[in-house]
Amino acid sequence: TVRRLLGEKPIITVLNKVDTLPGGEAEETAAKLAGLTGVKPIPVSALNGFNLDYLKKAVLEELTAGRRRPSQ
C-alpha cells in the first residue's frame, strides 16, 4: 500500500470531481481507493466547493502536526 511505501510521512488522498459521478458512485469509488491505497480519500468538488473546507482543515492539521513531530 501507499502507507507501506511512505512510512509515517503524511498522506492526504483526494478524490476530485465527485460532482461528475452519478449518485452513490463517489462513495463506492472512495471505498475502492481506500482499499487500494490504505488511505481514506477526501471526496471533493472544486467546481461547487464540496468538502473544500474539510480538505483545507486536513492539510493544515498535517502541516502543523509536522512541526510538532520530533525530527528524525
Side-chain angles (χ1 to χ4, degrees), residues 3-47:
R3 176 61 62 205
R4 200 173 13 170
L5 293 171
L6 296 178
E8 294 303 313
K9 293 180 181 174
I11 299 171
I12 298 175
T13 304
V14 179
L15 180 60
N16 192 21
K17 299 186 184 261
V18 296
D19 57 286
T20 64
L21 299 173
E25 197 170 317
E27 292 82 10
E28 182 180 326
T29 302
K32 287 179 185 177
L33 188 56
L36 291 171
T37 64
V39 180
K40 183 180 176 186
I42 299 172
V44 302
S45 170
L47 179 66

